[in-house]
Amino acid sequence: MRWLPHLAVSTRLRLAFALLAGMFAFIDQSLSQAIPWILLIVTLDLAASTLGYLTVIEGAVRHTQLLAILTVCTVVAGMGMGSAGPWSKMLILIPAYHVGSRFARKGAFVAALVGLVVALGTAWWLQRLTTAEAELIALASLLAILFGLLGGWSHALEPDAHVDDTSVAVEASFLLRRLHELADTLDTGFDAPGSAEMALQDLSGEMRAARSAILVGYGDDPAVPLAIRGADRTPWPDPMEPDSVLAQTWRQGVPVLAQWNDDLVARSVIVVPLNDGDGHRLGLMVADRPLVTPFTEDDLAAASAVAGRHAANIDLSVLFAGLRERAGLEERERLAREMHDGIAQEMVALGFGIDAVRRNARGQGSPLADELDSLRVDVSRVLADLRLHIGDLRIAVRPDTGLGAMIGARLQNFGSSSGVTTRMHLSETGFRLPAHTEVLIYRLFLRMLADARHSLNAEIVEVRLNVAAPRVELWMAHDGTSSLTERDFADYPLNSMGGEILVEPYAGVGVALRMRMRARGAAPSATLSNERIPQPS
């Protein structure tokens, strides 16, 4: 009996089905009749489960043995269904689940069909095939299809056993240990905004600046403010615009000491590049102050030195954040693919099966016809929600698509599929938010959209998005019944990043959500109290 600890969770679940059938038989006062059938089916099921532990035969021979045992188990369950009381209808669930886990969708349907045919034939041969008995057998076969499909899906989600390559495992272990040691040496670990804040703190020790910021962008990617001081939004023009004061450093990677006259007051601006280990531009360090106290060449050299000291840490933090974000996107895509190819297809097949039973019940004038109609409506509703969730997993914020475009596309898709009126007001500057921030805002939007979808009387959904990186404001409301409160968002990650989430009533029974967020270290407003910088002596 040493193989008992190796029984899978699915085997224990099938044993639970057997115990449940025995309990119903006890309630029906037919336990003495049920025991032989239950023991016979459980014995055959355990024999099939332990076949891999009790034999060394591999390949087609073992496959044939397993198929034979499961076939006998299914036939015996069908005979029990046709010759015994209502408790026996649960016996088909045991081989159906096992066959589904071993032979996927095709096996689930075949097992249910074999059980249905054998049960109907046995009941007819014993002259106990009534309309009620036939309906019970058909319903049990339908449940067998469902449990067989669930068995196949659960087996598909189990990781495949494989032998790890020792050299790859050793190399991965070395890299992870090295990353752990490196994170311990950094004051901010791999936190990109924290590394940028340290750079600005170091810059403030070298010179006086009214406003300063760290902008990150690789290649043709848009600029992303990682940290900003002295303002709650990026005050300079987009560096990808040709006439921007930041454009020369952005394109050529050279430090610039310039004068900028397009602000409320003329300003002296320092722009120095942040370069990675290969000398490629990964971002900019920008600082400005009123032109009455202009920066000098010594200030430019000091800012370049600060950028050189912190560029490696910022580059590492941004790359590490990108790896985490990519892993998250890949995981979401994998889940969406498995849900689409697995449970979604199985739910469609289940709906077809219910349709067939509905037609038969309607043709025979069965009282179960109305209940089957209601069941079909519920299955259709669950399938529609499942498809929307798959779409939510696949629609994610990516470098080539802005937050506003993603929210607009998802809102349009929601409106076309639900018939709800949607309205959106969008205002975005050329600067992008950090990718992880955009993902959190997008998920907050999806949460409110799910609340509108589950509301039974929502007719209007409104969204207003204002992005002036690193400041962002999202307002979203619907007029349907909702039970959302601020307590539901108390632990949302945006709160720890300086965000504020408010929930208030809208249109009577509706709800409105407002999220505001500024960058860490930003001033309360863009109007500064330290504009008067002393003249250098």
Side-chain angles (χ1 to χ4, degrees), residues 195-274:
S195 299
E197 288 281 357
M198 287 189 61
L200 295 184
Q201 179 66 29
D202 195 0
L203 180 67
S204 66
E206 297 289 338
M207 66 191 70
R208 296 291 300 276
R211 301 180 300 198
S212 57
I214 298 292
L215 310 178
V216 171
Y218 295 86
D220 296 330
D221 293 343
V224 175
L226 283 187
I228 187 170
R229 289 191 172 193
D232 60 356
R233 58 174 292 174
T234 309
W236 309 283
D238 183 358
M240 301 184 75
E241 297 178 1
D243 57 347
S244 172
V245 69
L246 313 179
Q248 182 178 357
T249 306
W250 186 264
R251 292 195 305 265
Q252 303 175 11
V254 294
V256 170
L257 176 59
Q259 177 179 333
W260 183 39
N261 298 318
D262 293 338
D263 204 5
L264 295 177
V265 296
R267 293 182 175 274
S268 178
V269 182
I270 282 180
V271 190
V272 296
L274 297 168

Coordinates of all heavy atoms in Angstrom, one line a residue, residues 195-274:
S195 N 15.2 55.2 -7.2 CA 16.6 55.5 -7.7 C 16.6 56.9 -8.3 O 17.6 57.7 -8.1 CB 17.0 54.5 -8.7 OG 17.0 53.2 -8.2
A196 N 15.5 57.3 -9.0 CA 15.5 58.6 -9.6 C 15.4 59.7 -8.5 O 16.0 60.8 -8.6 CB 14.2 58.7 -10.5
E197 N 14.7 59.5 -7.4 CA 14.6 60.4 -6.3 C 16.0 60.6 -5.7 O 16.3 61.7 -5.3 CB 13.6 59.9 -5.2 CG 12.2 60.0 -5.6 CD 11.6 61.4 -5.5 OE1 12.3 62.3 -5.0 OE2 10.4 61.6 -5.8
M198 N 16.7 59.5 -5.5 CA 18.1 59.7 -5.0 C 19.0 60.5 -5.9 O 19.8 61.4 -5.4 CB 18.7 58.3 -4.8 CG 18.2 57.5 -3.7 SD 19.1 56.0 -3.4 CE 20.7 56.7 -3.0
A199 N 18.8 60.4 -7.2 CA 19.6 61.2 -8.1 C 19.2 62.7 -8.0 O 20.1 63.6 -8.0 CB 19.3 60.8 -9.6
L200 N 17.9 63.0 -7.8 CA 17.5 64.4 -7.7 C 18.0 65.0 -6.3 O 18.3 66.2 -6.2 CB 16.0 64.5 -7.8 CG 15.4 64.2 -9.2 CD1 13.9 64.5 -9.2 CD2 16.1 65.1 -10.3
Q201 N 18.0 64.1 -5.3 CA 18.5 64.5 -4.0 C 20.0 64.9 -4.1 O 20.5 65.9 -3.5 CB 18.3 63.4 -3.0 CG 18.8 63.7 -1.6 CD 18.0 64.9 -0.9 OE1 16.8 65.1 -1.2 NE2 18.7 65.6 0.0
D202 N 20.7 64.1 -4.8 CA 22.2 64.3 -5.0 C 22.4 65.6 -5.8 O 23.2 66.4 -5.5 CB 22.8 63.2 -5.7 CG 24.3 63.2 -5.7 OD1 24.9 64.1 -5.1 OD2 25.0 62.3 -6.2
L203 N 21.5 65.8 -6.8 CA 21.6 67.1 -7.6 C 21.3 68.3 -6.8 O 22.0 69.3 -6.9 CB 20.6 67.0 -8.8 CG 20.6 68.2 -9.7 CD1 21.9 68.3 -10.5 CD2 19.4 68.1 -10.7
S204 N 20.3 68.2 -5.9 CA 20.0 69.4 -5.0 C 21.2 69.7 -4.1 O 21.3 70.9 -3.6 CB 18.8 69.1 -4.2 OG 19.0 68.0 -3.3
G205 N 22.0 68.7 -3.8 CA 23.2 69.0 -3.0 C 24.3 69.7 -3.7 O 25.2 70.3 -3.1
E206 N 24.3 69.7 -5.1 CA 25.3 70.3 -5.9 C 24.9 71.7 -6.3 O 25.8 72.6 -6.5 CB 25.5 69.5 -7.1 CG 26.0 68.1 -6.9 CD 27.5 68.1 -6.4 OE1 28.2 69.1 -6.6 OE2 27.9 67.1 -5.8
M207 N 23.6 72.0 -6.4 CA 23.2 73.3 -6.9 C 21.7 73.6 -6.5 O 21.0 72.7 -6.1 CB 23.3 73.4 -8.5 CG 22.3 72.4 -9.1 SD 22.6 72.2 -10.9 CE 24.2 71.3 -10.8
R208 N 21.3 74.8 -6.6 CA 20.0 75.2 -6.3 C 19.2 75.2 -7.6 O 19.6 75.7 -8.6 CB 19.9 76.7 -5.7 CG 20.6 76.8 -4.3 CD 19.8 76.1 -3.3 NE 18.4 76.6 -3.2 CZ 18.1 77.7 -2.5 NH1 19.0 78.4 -1.8 NH2 16.9 78.1 -2.4
A209 N 18.0 74.5 -7.5 CA 17.2 74.4 -8.7 C 15.7 74.6 -8.3 O 15.3 74.1 -7.2 CB 17.3 73.1 -9.4
A210 N 14.9 75.3 -9.1 CA 13.5 75.5 -8.7 C 12.7 74.2 -9.1 O 11.9 73.8 -8.3 CB 13.0 76.7 -9.5
R211 N 13.0 73.6 -10.2 CA 12.4 72.4 -10.7 C 13.4 71.5 -11.3 O 14.3 71.9 -11.9 CB 11.3 72.7 -11.7 CG 10.2 73.7 -11.2 CD 9.2 74.0 -12.2 NE 9.7 74.6 -13.5 CZ 8.9 75.3 -14.3 NH1 7.6 75.4 -14.1 NH2 9.5 75.8 -15.4
S212 N 13.2 70.2 -11.0 CA 14.1 69.2 -11.5 C 13.3 67.9 -11.8 O 12.3 67.7 -11.1 CB 15.3 68.9 -10.6 OG 14.9 68.6 -9.3
A213 N 13.8 67.1 -12.7 CA 13.1 65.8 -13.0 C 14.1 64.8 -13.6 O 15.1 65.2 -14.2 CB 12.0 66.1 -13.9
I214 N 13.7 63.6 -13.5 CA 14.4 62.5 -14.2 C 13.4 61.9 -15.3 O 12.3 61.5 -14.9 CB 14.8 61.4 -13.3 CG1 15.9 61.9 -12.3 CG2 15.4 60.2 -14.1 CD1 17.2 62.3 -12.9
L215 N 13.7 62.0 -16.5 CA 12.9 61.5 -17.6 C 13.6 60.3 -18.2 O 14.8 60.3 -18.5 CB 12.7 62.5 -18.7 CG 12.2 63.9 -18.2 CD1 12.1 64.8 -19.4 CD2 10.9 63.8 -17.5
V216 N 12.9 59.2 -18.4 CA 13.4 58.0 -19.0 C 12.7 57.6 -20.3 O 11.5 57.7 -20.4 CB 13.3 56.8 -17.9 CG1 13.7 55.5 -18.6 CG2 14.2 57.1 -16.8
G217 N 13.5 57.2 -21.3 CA 12.9 56.7 -22.5 C 14.0 56.1 -23.4 O 15.0 56.8 -23.7
Y218 N 13.9 54.9 -23.8 CA 14.8 54.2 -24.6 C 14.5 54.3 -26.1 O 13.3 54.1 -26.5 CB 14.9 52.7 -24.3 CG 15.4 52.4 -22.9 CD1 14.6 52.4 -21.8 CD2 16.8 52.2 -22.6 CE1 15.0 52.2 -20.5 CE2 17.2 51.9 -21.4 CZ 16.4 51.9 -20.3 OH 16.8 51.6 -19.0
G219 N 15.4 54.7 -26.9 CA 15.2 54.7 -28.4 C 14.1 55.7 -28.7 O 14.1 56.9 -28.4
D220 N 13.1 55.2 -29.4 CA 11.9 56.0 -29.8 C 10.8 55.9 -28.9 O 9.7 56.5 -29.2 CB 11.4 55.5 -31.2 CG 12.5 55.7 -32.3 OD1 13.3 56.6 -32.2 OD2 12.5 54.9 -33.3
D221 N 10.9 55.3 -27.7 CA 9.9 55.3 -26.7 C 9.6 56.7 -26.2 O 10.5 57.6 -26.1 CB 10.3 54.4 -25.5 CG 10.4 53.0 -25.9 OD1 9.8 52.6 -27.0 OD2 11.0 52.2 -25.2
P222 N 8.4 57.0 -25.8 CA 8.1 58.4 -25.2 C 8.8 58.5 -23.9 O 9.1 57.6 -23.2 CB 6.6 58.4 -25.1 CG 6.2 56.9 -25.0 CD 7.2 56.2 -25.9
A223 N 9.0 59.8 -23.5 CA 9.6 60.1 -22.2 C 8.7 59.8 -21.0 O 7.5 60.2 -21.1 CB 10.0 61.6 -22.2
V224 N 9.2 59.2 -20.0 CA 8.4 58.8 -18.8 C 9.1 59.5 -17.6 O 10.2 59.3 -17.3 CB 8.4 57.3 -18.6 CG1 7.7 57.0 -17.3 CG2 7.7 56.6 -19.7
P225 N 8.4 60.5 -16.9 CA 8.9 61.1 -15.7 C 8.9 60.1 -14.6 O 7.9 59.6 -14.1 CB 7.9 62.2 -15.4 CG 7.1 62.4 -16.7 CD 7.1 61.0 -17.3
L226 N 10.1 59.7 -14.1 CA 10.3 58.8 -13.0 C 10.2 59.6 -11.6 O 9.7 59.1 -10.7 CB 11.6 58.1 -13.0 CG 11.7 56.9 -14.0 CD1 13.0 56.2 -13.8 CD2 10.5 55.9 -13.8
A227 N 10.7 60.8 -11.6 CA 10.7 61.6 -10.4 C 10.7 63.1 -10.8 O 11.3 63.4 -11.8 CB 11.9 61.3 -9.5
I228 N 10.1 63.9 -10.0 CA 10.0 65.3 -10.3 C 9.9 66.1 -9.0 O 9.3 65.7 -8.0 CB 8.8 65.6 -11.2 CG1 8.8 67.1 -11.7 CG2 7.5 65.3 -10.5 CD1 7.8 67.4 -12.7
R229 N 10.6 67.2 -9.0 CA 10.6 68.1 -7.8 C 10.2 69.5 -8.2 O 10.6 70.0 -9.3 CB 12.0 68.1 -7.1 CG 12.3 66.8 -6.4 CD 13.5 67.0 -5.5 NE 13.8 65.8 -4.7 CZ 14.6 65.8 -3.7 NH1 15.3 66.9 -3.4 NH2 14.8 64.7 -3.0
G230 N 9.4 70.2 -7.4 CA 9.1 71.6 -7.6 C 7.9 71.8 -8.4 O 7.5 72.9 -8.7
A231 N 7.2 70.7 -8.9 CA 6.0 70.9 -9.7 C 5.2 69.6 -9.6 O 5.8 68.5 -9.3 CB 6.4 71.2 -11.2
D232 N 3.9 69.6 -10.0 CA 3.1 68.4 -9.9 C 2.9 67.8 -11.3 O 2.2 66.9 -11.5 CB 1.8 68.7 -9.3 CG 1.0 69.7 -10.0 OD1 1.5 70.3 -11.0 OD2 -0.2 70.0 -9.6
R233 N 3.5 68.4 -12.4 CA 3.5 67.9 -13.7 C 4.8 68.3 -14.4 O 5.5 69.2 -14.0 CB 2.3 68.4 -14.5 CG 2.2 69.9 -14.6 CD 1.0 70.3 -15.5 NE 1.3 70.0 -16.9 CZ 0.4 70.1 -17.8 NH1 -0.8 70.6 -17.6 NH2 0.7 69.8 -19.1
T234 N 5.1 67.6 -15.5 CA 6.3 68.0 -16.2 C 6.1 69.3 -17.0 O 5.3 69.4 -17.9 CB 6.6 66.9 -17.3 OG1 6.6 65.6 -16.6 CG2 8.0 67.1 -17.9
P235 N 6.9 70.4 -16.6 CA 6.6 71.7 -17.2 C 7.2 71.9 -18.5 O 6.8 72.9 -19.2 CB 7.2 72.6 -16.1 CG 8.3 71.8 -15.5 CD 7.9 70.4 -15.5
W236 N 8.2 71.1 -19.0 CA 8.9 71.4 -20.2 C 8.2 70.7 -21.4 O 7.5 69.7 -21.2 CB 10.3 70.9 -20.1 CG 11.0 71.4 -18.9 CD1 11.5 72.6 -18.7 CD2 11.2 70.6 -17.7 NE1 12.1 72.7 -17.4 CE2 11.9 71.5 -16.8 CE3 10.9 69.3 -17.3 CZ2 12.3 71.1 -15.5 CZ3 11.3 69.0 -16.0 CH2 12.0 69.8 -15.1
P237 N 8.4 71.1 -22.6 CA 7.8 70.5 -23.8 C 8.3 69.1 -24.0 O 9.4 68.7 -23.5 CB 8.1 71.4 -24.9 CG 8.6 72.7 -24.3 CD 9.1 72.4 -23.0
D238 N 7.5 68.3 -24.7 CA 7.9 66.9 -25.0 C 9.2 66.9 -25.7 O 9.4 67.6 -26.7 CB 6.8 66.3 -25.8 CG 7.1 64.8 -26.2 OD1 8.1 64.3 -25.7 OD2 6.3 64.2 -26.8
P239 N 10.2 66.1 -25.3 CA 11.6 66.1 -25.9 C 11.5 65.6 -27.4 O 12.5 65.8 -28.1 CB 12.4 65.3 -25.0 CG 11.5 64.4 -24.3 CD 10.2 65.3 -24.1
M240 N 10.4 64.9 -27.7 CA 10.4 64.4 -29.1 C 9.9 65.5 -30.1 O 9.8 65.3 -31.3 CB 9.4 63.2 -29.2 CG 9.9 62.1 -28.3 SD 8.9 60.6 -28.4 CE 9.5 59.9 -29.9
E241 N 9.4 66.7 -29.6 CA 9.1 67.8 -30.4 C 10.3 68.5 -30.9 O 11.2 68.8 -30.1 CB 8.2 68.8 -29.7 CG 6.8 68.1 -29.3 CD 6.0 69.1 -28.5 OE1 6.4 70.3 -28.3 OE2 4.9 68.7 -28.1
P242 N 10.4 68.9 -32.1 CA 11.7 69.5 -32.7 C 12.1 70.7 -32.0 O 13.3 71.0 -31.8 CB 11.4 69.7 -34.1 CG 10.2 68.8 -34.5 CD 9.4 68.7 -33.2
D243 N 11.2 71.6 -31.6 CA 11.6 72.9 -31.0 C 11.6 72.8 -29.4 O 11.7 73.9 -28.8 CB 10.6 74.0 -31.4 CG 9.2 73.6 -31.1 OD1 8.9 72.4 -30.7 OD2 8.3 74.5 -31.2
S244 N 11.6 71.7 -28.8 CA 11.6 71.6 -27.4 C 13.0 71.9 -26.9 O 14.0 71.6 -27.5 CB 11.2 70.1 -27.0 OG 11.4 69.9 -25.6
V245 N 13.0 72.5 -25.7 CA 14.3 72.8 -25.1 C 15.1 71.5 -24.7 O 16.3 71.6 -24.5 CB 14.1 73.7 -23.8 CG1 13.4 72.9 -22.7 CG2 15.4 74.3 -23.3
L246 N 14.4 70.4 -24.7 CA 15.0 69.1 -24.3 C 15.4 68.3 -25.6 O 16.0 67.2 -25.5 CB 14.1 68.3 -23.5 CG 13.4 68.9 -22.3 CD1 12.4 67.9 -21.6 CD2 14.4 69.5 -21.3
A247 N 15.0 68.8 -26.7 CA 15.1 67.9 -28.0 C 16.6 67.6 -28.3 O 16.9 66.5 -28.7 CB 14.4 68.7 -29.1
Q248 N 17.5 68.6 -28.2 CA 18.9 68.4 -28.6 C 19.5 67.3 -27.8 O 20.2 66.4 -28.3 CB 19.7 69.7 -28.5 CG 21.1 69.5 -29.0 CD 21.9 70.8 -28.9 OE1 21.4 71.9 -28.5 NE2 23.2 70.8 -29.2
T249 N 19.4 67.3 -26.5 CA 19.9 66.3 -25.6 C 19.3 64.9 -25.9 O 19.9 63.9 -25.9 CB 19.8 66.7 -24.2 OG1 20.4 67.9 -24.0 CG2 20.5 65.7 -23.3
W250 N 18.0 65.0 -26.1 CA 17.2 63.7 -26.4 C 17.7 63.0 -27.7 O 17.8 61.8 -27.7 CB 15.7 64.0 -26.5 CG 14.8 62.9 -26.6 CD1 14.3 62.3 -27.7 CD2 14.3 62.0 -25.5 NE1 13.5 61.2 -27.5 CE2 13.5 61.0 -26.1 CE3 14.5 62.0 -24.2 CZ2 12.9 60.1 -25.4 CZ3 13.9 61.1 -23.4 CH2 13.1 60.1 -24.0
R251 N 18.0 63.8 -28.7 CA 18.4 63.3 -30.0 C 19.8 63.0 -30.1 O 20.3 61.9 -30.6 CB 18.0 64.2 -31.1 CG 16.5 64.4 -31.4 CD 16.2 65.0 -32.7 NE 16.9 66.3 -32.9 CZ 16.4 67.5 -32.6 NH1 15.2 67.6 -32.2 NH2 17.1 68.6 -32.7
Q252 N 20.7 63.9 -29.6 CA 22.1 63.7 -29.7 C 22.9 63.2 -28.5 O 24.0 62.9 -28.6 CB 22.7 65.1 -30.2 CG 22.0 65.7 -31.4 CD 22.5 67.0 -31.8 OE1 23.5 67.5 -31.2 NE2 21.9 67.7 -32.8
G253 N 22.2 63.3 -27.4 CA 22.9 62.8 -26.1 C 24.0 63.7 -25.6 O 25.0 63.1 -25.1
V254 N 23.9 65.0 -25.8 CA 24.9 65.9 -25.3 C 24.4 66.8 -24.3 O 23.2 67.2 -24.3 CB 25.5 66.7 -26.5 CG1 26.2 65.8 -27.5 CG2 24.4 67.5 -27.2
P255 N 25.2 67.2 -23.3 CA 24.7 68.1 -22.2 C 24.4 69.5 -22.9 O 25.1 69.9 -23.7 CB 25.8 68.2 -21.2 CG 26.7 67.0 -21.5 CD 26.5 66.7 -23.0
V256 N 23.4 70.1 -22.3 CA 23.0 71.4 -22.9 C 22.7 72.4 -21.7 O 22.0 72.0 -20.8 CB 21.7 71.3 -23.8 CG1 21.1 72.7 -24.1 CG2 22.0 70.5 -25.0
L257 N 23.2 73.6 -21.9 CA 22.9 74.7 -21.0 C 22.2 75.7 -21.8 O 22.8 76.4 -22.7 CB 24.2 75.3 -20.4 CG 24.0 76.5 -19.5 CD1 23.1 76.2 -18.3 CD2 25.4 77.0 -19.0
A258 N 20.8 75.9 -21.6 CA 20.0 76.7 -22.5 C 19.2 77.7 -21.7 O 19.0 77.6 -20.5 CB 19.1 75.8 -23.3
Q259 N 18.6 78.6 -22.5 CA 17.6 79.6 -22.0 C 16.3 79.2 -22.6 O 16.1 79.1 -23.8 CB 18.1 81.0 -22.4 CG 17.1 82.1 -21.9 CD 17.6 83.5 -22.3 OE1 18.8 83.7 -22.4 NE2 16.6 84.4 -22.5
W260 N 15.2 79.2 -21.7 CA 13.9 78.9 -22.2 C 13.0 80.0 -21.9 O 12.8 80.4 -20.7 CB 13.4 77.6 -21.5 CG 12.1 77.1 -21.9 CD1 11.6 77.1 -23.1 CD2 11.1 76.5 -21.0 NE1 10.3 76.5 -23.2 CE2 10.0 76.1 -21.9 CE3 11.0 76.2 -19.7 CZ2 8.9 75.6 -21.4 CZ3 9.9 75.6 -19.2 CH2 8.8 75.3 -20.0
N261 N 12.4 80.6 -22.9 CA 11.5 81.8 -22.8 C 10.1 81.5 -22.9 O 9.2 82.4 -22.9 CB 11.9 82.8 -23.8 CG 13.4 83.3 -23.7 OD1 13.9 83.5 -22.5 ND2 14.1 83.4 -24.8
D262 N 9.6 80.3 -23.1 CA 8.2 79.9 -23.3 C 7.4 79.7 -22.0 O 6.3 79.4 -22.1 CB 8.1 78.7 -24.2 CG 8.6 79.0 -25.6 OD1 8.7 80.2 -26.0 OD2 9.0 78.0 -26.3
D263 N 8.1 79.8 -20.9 CA 7.3 79.7 -19.6 C 6.8 81.0 -19.1 O 7.0 82.1 -19.8 CB 8.3 79.1 -18.6 CG 7.5 78.3 -17.5 OD1 6.2 78.3 -17.6 OD2 8.1 77.9 -16.5
L264 N 6.2 81.1 -18.0 CA 5.7 82.3 -17.5 C 6.8 83.3 -17.2 O 6.6 84.6 -17.5 CB 4.9 82.1 -16.2 CG 3.6 81.3 -16.3 CD1 3.0 81.0 -14.9 CD2 2.6 81.9 -17.2
V265 N 7.9 82.9 -16.8 CA 9.1 83.7 -16.7 C 10.3 83.0 -17.4 O 10.3 81.7 -17.5 CB 9.5 83.9 -15.2 CG1 8.4 84.7 -14.5 CG2 9.8 82.6 -14.5
A266 N 11.2 83.8 -17.9 CA 12.3 83.2 -18.6 C 13.2 82.3 -17.6 O 13.3 82.7 -16.5 CB 13.2 84.2 -19.2
R267 N 13.7 81.2 -18.1 CA 14.3 80.3 -17.3 C 15.7 79.8 -17.9 O 15.8 79.7 -19.1 CB 13.5 79.0 -17.0 CG 12.2 79.4 -16.2 CD 11.4 78.1 -15.8 NE 10.3 78.4 -15.0 CZ 10.4 78.5 -13.6 NH1 11.5 78.2 -13.0 NH2 9.3 78.8 -12.9
S268 N 16.6 79.5 -17.0 CA 17.8 78.9 -17.3 C 17.7 77.4 -17.1 O 17.2 76.9 -16.0 CB 19.0 79.4 -16.5 OG 20.2 78.7 -16.8
V269 N 18.0 76.6 -18.1 CA 17.7 75.1 -18.1 C 19.0 74.3 -18.3 O 19.8 74.7 -19.2 CB 16.7 74.7 -19.1 CG1 16.4 73.2 -19.0 CG2 15.4 75.6 -19.0
I270 N 19.2 73.3 -17.5 CA 20.3 72.3 -17.6 C 19.7 71.0 -18.0 O 18.7 70.5 -17.4 CB 21.1 72.2 -16.3 CG1 22.1 73.3 -16.2 CG2 21.9 70.9 -16.4 CD1 22.9 73.2 -14.9
V271 N 20.2 70.4 -19.1 CA 19.7 69.1 -19.6 C 20.9 68.3 -19.8 O 21.8 68.6 -20.7 CB 18.9 69.3 -20.9 CG1 18.2 67.9 -21.2 CG2 17.8 70.3 -20.8
V272 N 21.0 67.2 -19.1 CA 22.2 66.2 -19.3 C 21.6 64.8 -19.5 O 20.6 64.5 -19.0 CB 23.1 66.2 -18.0 CG1 23.7 67.6 -17.8 CG2 22.3 65.8 -16.8
P273 N 22.3 64.1 -20.4 CA 21.8 62.7 -20.7 C 22.1 61.7 -19.6 O 23.1 61.8 -18.9 CB 22.5 62.4 -22.0 CG 23.8 63.1 -21.9 CD 23.5 64.4 -21.1
L274 N 21.3 60.7 -19.5 CA 21.6 59.5 -18.7 C 21.9 58.4 -19.7 O 21.0 58.0 -20.5 CB 20.4 59.2 -17.8 CG 20.0 60.2 -16.8 CD1 18.6 59.8 -16.2 CD2 21.0 60.2 -15.6

